[in-house]
Amino acid sequence: MFGDMMNMMGKLKEAQKKVEETKKRLDSVLVDEASSDSKLKVTLTANRTINSIEIDDELLNDKEQLEDYLILTLNKAIEKATKINEAELAAAAKDGMPNIPGMDMFK
């Protein structure tokens, strides 16, 4: 039984290491989003860090419109990045988890 516990602890550490590696890798996964008319384009990492923002000159003339574009486009990009992030981290955690009866958390 003690050997089984040590084996499980080793697998849990391995799962934690895979999750950390996945988090680092997600810094290089880019998510692009643009407004429907492409006047605003944003790029985020899958860890939801803004990488770049491109703004059409026309939007610079209307502060309120620019703010609306930023909110809508950034929210869509964050939603996409979050889905990728959660799926990748769940897969990494599931892959490294030991098979513990009754612990079907990642189905």
Side-chain angles (χ1 to χ4, degrees):
M1 181 170 172
F2 185 69
D4 289 343
M5 281 294 274
M6 292 301 290
N7 188 28
M8 271 195 265
M9 292 301 289
K11 287 187 178 191
L12 286 172
K13 284 184 181 184
E14 191 175 307
Q16 184 178 16
K17 182 180 176 187
K18 284 185 179 188
V19 167
E20 291 303 317
E21 289 171 353
T22 300
K23 284 180 182 178
K24 286 180 186 174
R25 184 178 58 77
L26 289 174
D27 279 332
S28 64
V29 175
L30 299 179
V31 176
D32 295 315
E33 186 61 54
S35 60
S36 58
D37 57 7
S38 296
K39 290 183 181 181
L40 179 74
K41 297 176 185 176
V42 298
T43 301
L44 276 65
T45 69
N47 281 327
R48 298 171 298 263
T49 300
I50 297 172
N51 196 35
S52 69
I53 298 176
E54 293 178 38
I55 302 170
D56 186 282
D57 289 340
E58 183 182 317
L59 290 177
L60 297 177
N61 299 323
D62 186 343
K63 181 181 181 276
E64 273 188 43
Q65 184 181 20
L66 175 57
E67 290 170 347
D68 290 344
Y69 270 70
L70 283 166
I71 290 168
L72 291 171
T73 307
L74 283 168
N75 280 335
K76 286 194 301 187
I78 290 167
E79 185 178 333
K80 275 185 183 178
T82 298
K83 286 179 182 177
I84 293 168
N85 184 285
E86 289 174 352
E88 292 287 327
L89 291 177
K94 181 181 179 183
D95 187 42
M97 289 294 286
N99 187 13
I100 303 171
M103 296 289 288
D104 299 335
M105 298 183 316
F106 298 106
K107 277 192 172 180

